[in-house]
Amino acid sequence: MKNALHPKKNVAVWVGIISGIISGFIKFGWEVPFPPRTPERDMTNPPQHLLEQLGMSHDLSHLMYYFNDYPRPIMSFIIHFSFSIICAIFYCLVAEYYPKIKLWQGTAYGIFIFIMFHIIIMPILGTVPVPWDQPFAEHFSEFFGHAFWTWIIEITRRDLRNRITKQPDSEIPLTSPFR
């Protein structure tokens, strides 16, 4: 049976999964020095609130596992990493055919994701407050956090793709001195 995806797409999907996981950890790390929400608003964070909006019980959306005696919100982490992986796979696939998505080494994509989700979609859904009711610190953290997150996706994508395929990105000719 033939593989359903073109080899270039296979590489992009696997690289997207790997870069999505790595960048998901990076985004978590960004939020340590720059927490996007106040402790009060983080008692039910946006992933937990979204799950509750979709019908999940409060108890399940706030389910914890313990690592080194620290409670960790498992459902939030599942949403966080799923979102990161899906966005990274999309980015890596699109980068193969439309290199403009890599504008500013991927940070433009991150800013676009920030605007779409934190300024438009989640406020419309009522998952987070409308933008003007969010504190500046939240916008600062999320804006730069998303830009940094997608920069990590891009540098991971480029390195892994080039190592796996032994080829430069599609828009760079093999004769280029920059390959």
Side-chain angles (χ1 to χ4, degrees):
M1 183 172 171
K2 281 189 167 183
N3 193 335
L5 288 177
H6 184 276
K8 190 190 236 187
K9 291 178 185 175
N10 281 338
V11 170
V13 168
W14 281 110
V15 168
I17 292 168
I18 294 166
S19 64
I21 293 168
I22 291 168
S23 64
F25 280 110
I26 295 295
K27 183 72 164 65
F28 271 152
W30 173 268
E31 291 180 359
V32 171
F34 304 109
R37 285 166 296 285
T38 62
E40 179 184 37
R41 279 209 36 238
D42 219 22
M43 290 181 80
T44 297
N45 61 41
Q48 291 167 326
H49 189 197
L50 178 63
L51 290 170
E52 291 172 10
Q53 289 176 301
L54 295 172
M56 184 178 282
S57 72
H58 178 85
D59 289 344
L60 187 54
S61 73
H62 285 71
L63 184 67
M64 298 288 177
Y65 72 93
Y66 287 82
F67 186 85
N68 200 21
D69 292 331
Y70 284 94
R72 310 299 346 157
I74 185 112
M75 295 303 176
S76 294
F77 289 3
I78 290 170
I79 296 297
H80 174 85
F81 279 102
S82 297
F83 182 81
S84 185
I85 291 166
I86 290 166
C87 287
I89 290 171
F90 178 80
Y91 177 86
C92 292
L93 283 169
V94 172
E96 289 294 327
Y97 303 98
Y98 303 100
K100 289 183 181 181
I101 197 170
K102 298 182 285 186
L103 180 66
W104 305 332
Q105 294 190 340
T107 59
Y109 176 69
I111 293 166
F112 172 78
I113 295 293
F114 160 73
I115 292 168
M116 288 303 299
F117 283 88
H118 289 270
I119 303 299
I120 300 171
I121 295 171
M122 290 195 303
I124 287 172
L125 294 174
T127 307
V128 299
V130 292
W132 48 89
D133 287 343
Q134 296 174 28
F136 173 78
E138 185 166 348
H139 291 298
F140 177 91
S141 175
E142 294 292 2
F143 178 92
F144 288 106
H146 279 77
F148 188 55
W149 165 66
T150 51
W151 179 64
I152 296 300
I153 291 171
E154 169 54 20
I155 62 174
T156 304
R157 181 205 66 80
R158 187 174 356 153
D159 183 70
L160 290 177
R161 181 201 182 279
N162 292 351
R163 287 173 189 266
I164 293 167
T165 65
K166 307 281 191 256
Q167 298 291 317
D169 279 349
S170 57
E171 74 276 13
I172 300 172
L174 287 174
T175 55
S176 171
F178 300 106
R179 65 179 196 108

